[in-house]
Amino acid sequence: MQINKVELRNLEIEDYIGLKNSMLQAYEEGVDDPYWKKEEIRRLLKIFPEGQIVIVVDDVVVGAALSLIVDESVALSNHKYNDIITDGKFNTHNPDGEVLYGIDVFIHPNYRGLRLGRRLYDGRKELCEQLNLKSIIFAGRIPNYHNYSKDLTPKQYLEKVKTKEIHDPVISFQVNNDFHIKRLLRNYLEGDRDSRDYAVLLEWNNISYDKSPVLINTKKSVVRLGLIQWQMRPLNNLEEFFDQAEFFIDAVSGYESDFATFPELFVAPLMADYNHLSESEAIRELAKYTDTIQKRFQELAIQYNINIITGSMPYLDENVLYNVGFLCKRDGSSEMYRKIHITPNERLYWGMQGGDVIQTFDTDCGKIGIIICYDVEFPELSRLMSDDGMEILFVPYLTDTQNGYTRVRSCAQARAIENECYVAITGCVGNLPKVNNMDIQYGQAAVFTPSDFAFPNNGVKAEATPNTEMTLIVDVELNALKELHELGSVRIKKDRRLDLYKLRKLK
């Protein structure tokens, strides 16, 4: 068959003869009254012209997808086909409904095998997104079921279709087209003898659906990250530290960043005055600055209209030493996070202990996670955060050698892939004389992505120059994550075998 032109467009009443002829061929057997009356098509075009789509090959209508907009409660109810079309009157159509309901789709048998059905469904999906509808729902026939009905229940038949032991021309196509099975419907379509009067309610979810669009303070789809690669240097006093920190906050907010992120223990230069003490005593003296630093960063977050992740600093709680940081939001609020996994060095020289709270944080840019350095080497933490809806994971770190940095970097990149999220890391660079246990630093800030077509081939969105004081400004696209979850080459979060293993918090 030679084809010169294929067109996807909206149905017009002048198409009726071609539409009818193709329907008669498509539904030659198995269905009573296998075509729409002309007055019914005219009524559809009057109430919802955008929802009626046809495939035209060389000026001949060879397929169509016909739809209504209905209330979600109607679409998900235990209904029959005529409950939706109401004898061709289409009384269920509601322009203010939430769901695009497919009332028919077909391809002339002479034109099957050309993937024209997929074009129709892609057109439906695009329409669903453009109209901001929650989902596409319809009931699919199971035309091969009559061959197995003596040996298999409808549920057993569907299980074998899903595992590809049996091919069903309708359900197999829909499952491969990202529709999922909601329920079985009995006596759905009168006269559907091949399906033994059963049908399967199927749904495709619109991941771009916005339940309550607002004009201001909407959740951003593009979030700008400002990572601060901090140079360790001697500081004379706390105000000099604040001047340096404010310089960077001013710089990244000047580029309209949504987050400013500092490294782990970037406050360490303030320990120089206590270098005559033991390491454990010196860091406890440093912890006395923490409340003051938190309050100042809260003020800076408001002043510069930016969310600040304060890296980390020592914190004494009932004389127990923790490694903590603060999320200072631009609305003036602040939340603490604690490093959970403590390195042997931190435990030996400073007597630090690990925190016991695994949490995510709600921000005006979506839900984020924050873990400190060594924590990124334990995949359970970020997986639990991902299960809680985390889209961006921030990892402030401090590593003295390239070996340590490589562990952090490699694990951070793995966390981005396995949790289908962005991971932003930043650390300290340079040398710090006259502060015991903080002599040298190695660092390179970076933002990592999942590994799929919508993202960089190497999974690296951007990275700074190693061992140089600088900022890294990076935009991340949150909608790309939504598409990855539903349409990615692999779907790691969805394909986990939760029937074999599960991960949960103990506290």
Side-chain angles (χ1 to χ4, degrees):
M1 180 190 304
Q2 182 176 345
I3 293 176
N4 298 307
K5 183 181 178 182
V6 178
E7 182 184 10
L8 179 75
R9 62 170 172 81
N10 285 113
L11 174 67
E12 299 171 359
I13 193 62
E14 291 77 14
D15 297 318
Y16 179 72
I17 296 299
L19 181 81
K20 177 181 176 180
N21 290 338
S22 289
M23 284 197 72
L24 285 170
Q25 294 296 318
Y27 294 134
E28 188 174 7
E29 296 180 357
V31 178
D32 297 333
D33 298 326
Y35 66 91
W36 294 98
K37 307 297 188 291
K38 191 170 185 177
E39 60 269 24
E40 294 171 333
I41 294 299
R42 196 185 304 276
R43 193 174 296 122
L44 270 180
L45 292 176
K46 181 179 180 180
I47 64 174
F48 187 30
E50 304 92 337
Q52 320 316 321
I53 304 169
V54 290
I55 283 279
V56 181
V57 177
D58 294 335
D59 299 322
V60 177
V61 174
V62 302
L66 311 180
S67 308
L68 301 172
I69 298 176
V70 304
D71 295 333
E72 184 180 31
S73 59
V74 172
L76 294 178
S77 67
N78 188 11
H79 60 272
K80 297 181 180 180
Y81 184 56
N82 195 52
D83 295 334
I84 300 296
I85 65 169
T86 56
D87 293 320
K89 297 182 179 63
F90 312 114
N91 294 331
T92 55
H93 178 71
N94 176 11
D96 296 321
E98 305 93 347
V99 167
L100 189 69
Y101 193 103
I103 59 171
D104 202 355
V105 63
F106 63 87
I107 293 290
H108 189 295
N110 291 348
Y111 294 87
R112 291 171 185 166
L114 299 174
R115 296 182 179 269
L116 299 181
R118 189 171 292 275
R119 293 199 196 194
L120 287 171
Y121 274 94
D122 288 345
R124 257 189 190 165
K125 291 174 182 178
E126 183 179 357
L127 178 65
C128 183
E129 292 173 342
Q130 293 295 326
L131 295 177
N132 190 36
L133 298 174
K134 189 172 183 180
S135 64
I136 300 172
I137 292 178
F138 70 96
R141 301 172 61 231
I142 45 176
N144 279 359
Y145 179 55
H146 68 281
N147 295 322
Y148 301 89
S149 59
K150 291 182 179 179
D151 301 314
L152 300 175
T153 66
K155 184 177 180 181
Q156 291 169 333
Y157 175 80
L158 289 176
E159 286 298 322
K160 290 185 178 294
V161 170
K162 286 195 291 184
T163 58
K164 302 193 183 302
E165 296 176 60
I166 294 175
H167 176 77
D168 184 280
V170 174
I171 305 303
S172 297
F173 171 79
Q174 302 303 343
V175 170
N176 290 336
N177 200 25
D178 299 315
F179 282 79
H180 58 270
I181 295 171
K182 297 290 290 184
R183 66 193 305 183
L184 269 169
L185 297 174
R186 192 165 188 175
N187 298 319
Y188 176 75
L189 182 62
E190 186 177 351
D192 186 4
R193 294 178 292 274
D194 287 347
S195 302
R196 296 295 186 257
D197 294 324
Y198 284 98
V200 179
L201 198 65
L202 296 149
E203 182 177 33
W204 175 85
N205 296 111
N206 175 14
I207 61 175
S208 302
Y209 173 65
D210 186 355
K211 182 178 180 180
S212 15
V214 294
L215 299 180
I216 62 172
N217 294 330
T218 59
K219 179 184 172 183
K220 295 188 173 187
S221 61
V222 177
V223 178
R224 182 161 294 175
L225 312 181
L227 306 181
I228 297 154
Q229 193 158 283
W230 177 273
Q231 173 81 44
M232 289 294 205
R233 57 169 59 82
L235 297 170
N236 293 319
N237 52 49
L238 186 59
E239 281 308 310
E240 192 170 321
F241 165 80
F242 283 138
D243 288 344
Q244 189 68 21
E246 186 172 355
F247 166 80
F248 282 113
I249 293 170
D250 186 12
V252 298
S253 69
Y255 288 103
E256 299 183 351
S257 297
D258 296 294
F259 290 92
T261 306
F262 289 90
E264 179 185 22
L265 294 176
F266 73 117
V267 299
L270 296 172
M271 274 200 295
D273 288 343
Y274 311 107
N275 209 37
H276 61 285
L277 302 174
S278 68
E279 287 92 339
S280 61
E281 291 172 321
I283 201 164
R284 279 165 173 75
E285 290 297 322
L286 179 62
K288 294 177 181 179
Y289 292 115
T290 294
D291 287 340
T292 302
I293 293 171
Q294 180 213 359
K295 291 174 183 176
R296 184 64 172 270
F297 273 100
Q298 277 185 272
E299 295 170 359
L300 293 171
I302 297 170
Q303 182 180 346
Y304 289 96
N305 189 28
I306 193 169
N307 301 300
I308 301 175
I309 295 170
T310 67
S312 81
M313 55 203 75
Y315 180 77
L316 279 169
D317 184 359
E318 296 183 355
N319 207 37
V320 177
L321 186 68
Y322 297 97
N323 190 348
V324 312
F326 301 92
L327 170 61
C328 299
K329 301 180 185 179
R330 48 184 155 202
D331 65 5
S333 62
S334 177
E335 297 182 76
M336 178 190 288
Y337 50 89
R338 302 189 185 200
K339 187 172 185 177
I340 292 176
H341 297 92
I342 302 302
T343 65
N345 183 292
E346 289 172 301
R347 188 176 294 110
L348 176 64
Y349 289 98
W350 292 331
M352 279 186 170
Q353 295 190 26
D356 57 6
V357 177
I358 302 170
Q359 61 189 323
T360 55
F361 301 94
D362 291 312
T363 74
D364 56 0
C365 300
K367 188 164 286 191
I368 68 167
I370 308 171
I371 56 179
I372 302 173
C373 197
Y374 193 32
D375 284 337
V376 79
E377 299 176 34
F378 298 85
E380 297 87 353
L381 292 186
S382 50
R383 174 48 56 85
L384 288 167
M385 293 177 182
S386 176
D387 288 344
D388 197 34
M390 176 263 294
E391 296 173 297
I392 308 173
L393 178 64
F394 293 90
V395 187
Y397 69 87
L398 177 71
T399 51
D400 55 352
T401 65
Q402 191 168 359
N403 293 351
Y405 170 72
T406 298
R407 288 195 299 271
V408 170
R409 179 188 177 96
S410 300
C411 291
Q413 198 158 9
R415 303 298 85 85
I417 292 170
E418 67 198 16
N419 294 304
E420 298 177 341
C421 68
Y422 296 104
V423 179
I425 68 171
T426 192
C428 294
V429 299
N431 306 317
L432 187 59
K434 297 183 179 179
V435 177
N436 292 330
N437 203 36
M438 297 292 295
D439 312 284
I440 58 175
Q441 333 296 326
Y442 184 98
Q444 183 182 22
V447 175
F448 304 117
T449 72
S451 183
D452 214 317
F453 296 115
F455 305 96
N457 289 337
N458 61 356
V460 181
K461 178 73 173 177
E463 54 189 350
T465 303
N467 284 347
T468 302
E469 184 169 59
M470 63 181 294
T471 60
L472 186 64
I473 312 294
V474 185
D475 285 346
V476 295
E477 172 60 69
L478 299 184
N479 284 340
L481 297 179
K482 293 180 181 179
E483 293 186 14
L484 174 69
H485 297 334
E486 299 295 330
L487 306 172
S489 300
V490 295
R491 302 162 200 184
I492 296 172
K493 291 181 68 176
K494 293 182 72 171
D495 290 340
R496 287 180 293 165
R497 289 290 306 275
L498 298 181
D499 57 322
L500 297 179
Y501 55 83
K502 290 183 181 178
L503 182 66
R504 64 182 178 87
K505 298 180 187 178
L506 297 180
K507 290 189 177 181

